[in-house]
Amino acid sequence: MKAEPKHYDVLRAPVITEKSTLGSEHENTQVTFKVATDATKPAIKEAVEAIYGVRVEAVNTLILKGKQKRFRGIRGRRPDVKKAIVTLAKGQSIDVTTVGA
């Protein structure tokens, strides 16, 4: 499957945090991505398979609600972010720390 521009619109960025890297230590490797808020699970699966050339077992999504913040007394709000936790097939892996470098 060849990566198309629409696939790059679905996946925004990999999430590289302490908690998300714990998922890569499981028997079935898990990788976390920030995705478009209107992205569906089949679209996320298709994009990961096309861009990284791996087989995806499952996709779990969550929406992280934006927080109310203040800066110099002015109230603002962070945007909502949708994340996708992608479980890869056995033997498959993605090294998100070197991709894009």
Side-chain angles (χ1 to χ4, degrees), residues 3 9 11 20 22-23 28-29 33 35-36 45 49 52 55 60 64 83 86 89-90 97:
D9 292 335
L11 296 181
S20 68
L22 289 175
N28 291 340
T29 307
F33 292 98
V35 295
K45 179 179 179 178
E49 288 178 344
Y52 295 104
R55 208 175 95 229
N60 295 330
L64 183 67
K83 291 183 186 180
V86 178
K90 280 194 175 183
T97 57

Side-chain angles (χ1 to χ4, degrees), residues 24-99:
S24 64
E25 296 174 3
H26 290 316
E27 195 172 298
N28 291 340
T29 307
Q30 293 180 334
V31 185
T32 307
F33 292 98
K34 287 184 183 176
V35 295
T37 54
D38 60 344
T40 61
K41 288 183 181 185
I44 295 166
K45 179 179 179 178
E46 183 183 331
V48 172
E49 288 178 344
I51 293 171
Y52 295 104
V54 294
R55 208 175 95 229
V56 174
E57 291 278 317
V59 177
N60 295 330
T61 58
L62 61 104
I63 296 176
L64 183 67
K65 297 294 184 181
K67 293 178 162 183
Q68 291 282 341
K69 288 292 183 177
R70 289 178 186 261
F71 179 69
R72 295 187 179 174
I74 300 171
R75 276 188 272 162
R77 189 171 191 284
R78 289 184 184 169
D80 295 345
V81 177
K82 187 171 188 176
K83 291 183 186 180
I85 301 168
V86 178
T87 304
L88 304 176
K90 280 194 175 183
Q92 304 279 317
S93 66
I94 298 174
D95 188 10
V96 292
T97 57
T98 59
V99 175

